């Protein structure tokens, strides 16, 4: 019988976040693209990867994906949204999508303007991309203006 590993208690203060952690590999840290990011963008990338594992994020992503499909007229079942958002735990499948509402940015110590600058850098270097509700480039729609942007982690930085 295998024993479930625990996160060292000095790495978190709220038990709710005990399982919200990210693994950072030496491969990532040594990659030329990662090293070309500003130090702030490197730290922000790790914040985003860790935030993606939280219950708060999965709940927000589920709601935002549902809104996206309703606004675009694309029919989708609640089960499919829960799978796509990573909320359906029985599959043990992690979703590459994430949202980071302004409230969470502030909780992590980032202003929305500074976070936008860092997200832009991560997009340009191939670490994340916009999936839906893009407010900064083409495809803007007034109905999207109050929705968090849906991002997706991508591997383009490996190229």
């Amino acid at each position: 019988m295998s024993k479930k590993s625990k996160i060292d208690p000095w790495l978190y203060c709220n038990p709710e976040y005990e399982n919200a952690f990210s693994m950072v590999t030496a491969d990532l840290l040594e990659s030329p693209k990662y090293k070309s990011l500003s130090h702030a963008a490197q730290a922000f990338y790790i914040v985003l990867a860790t935030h993606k594992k939280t219950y708060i994020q999965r709940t927000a992503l589920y709601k935002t994906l549902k809104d996206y499909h309703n606004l675009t007229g694309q029919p989708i079942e609640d089960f499919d949204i829960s799978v796509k958002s990573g909320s359906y735990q029985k599959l043990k499948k992690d979703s590459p999508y994430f949202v980071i509402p302004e409230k969470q940015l502030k909780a992590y110590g980032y202003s929305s303007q500074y976070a936008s600058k860092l997200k832009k850098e991560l997009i340009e270097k191939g670490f994340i991309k916009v999936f839906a509700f893009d407010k900064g480039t083409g495809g803007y729609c007034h109905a999207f203006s109050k929705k968090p942007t849906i991002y997706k982690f991508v591997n383009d930085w490996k190229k």
Side-chain angles (χ1 to χ4, degrees):
M1 187 160 120
S2 68
K3 188 176 176 182
K4 187 176 179 181
S5 62
K6 293 289 253 172
I7 306 298
D8 294 323
W10 56 84
L11 294 175
Y12 64 93
C13 61
N14 183 343
E16 180 180 319
Y17 291 101
E18 179 180 1
N19 295 319
F21 69 95
S22 292
M23 216 187 276
V24 178
T25 64
D27 181 46
L28 171 69
L29 297 175
E30 293 172 358
S31 75
K33 282 274 181 113
Y34 186 79
K35 289 196 276 188
S36 74
L37 292 171
S38 66
H39 290 296
Q42 290 175 356
F44 191 63
Y45 181 72
I46 293 169
V47 167
L48 292 178
T50 304
H51 168 73
K52 191 175 90 53
K53 302 286 188 175
T54 64
Y55 174 77
I56 293 166
Q57 193 285 144
R58 285 192 308 272
T59 304
L61 178 59
Y62 178 89
K63 182 183 180 321
T64 307
L65 283 169
K66 190 169 189 159
D67 289 346
Y68 171 72
H69 286 284
N70 287 337
L71 286 169
T72 59
Q74 299 174 359
I76 189 167
E77 298 293 321
D78 284 349
F79 174 77
D80 295 328
I81 293 173
S82 66
V83 169
K84 198 172 192 176
S85 68
S87 299
Y88 190 70
Q89 295 300 310
K90 289 184 179 179
L91 289 179
K92 298 195 182 326
K93 182 181 178 207
D94 201 13
S95 171
Y97 304 102
F98 69 95
V99 294
I100 185 149
E102 194 171 328
K103 177 182 173 183
Q104 283 306 118
L105 288 171
K106 288 181 181 172
Y108 296 137
Y110 293 93
S111 70
S112 57
Q113 294 84 7
Y114 191 55
S116 292
K117 177 185 169 197
L118 297 173
K119 286 185 274 188
K120 184 178 178 184
E121 185 177 351
L122 291 170
I123 290 168
E124 288 171 356
K125 301 281 174 108
F127 287 87
I128 63 173
K129 74 177 187 178
V130 173
F131 173 72
F133 296 138
D134 183 11
K135 297 171 190 68
T137 59
Y140 180 79
C141 171
H142 181 68
F144 295 172
S145 65
K146 297 293 182 190
K147 306 292 179 200
T149 301
I150 301 173
Y151 296 95
K152 182 179 180 180
F153 282 99
V154 292
N155 296 327
D156 297 348
W157 62 270
K158 293 180 180 181
K159 297 175 185 172

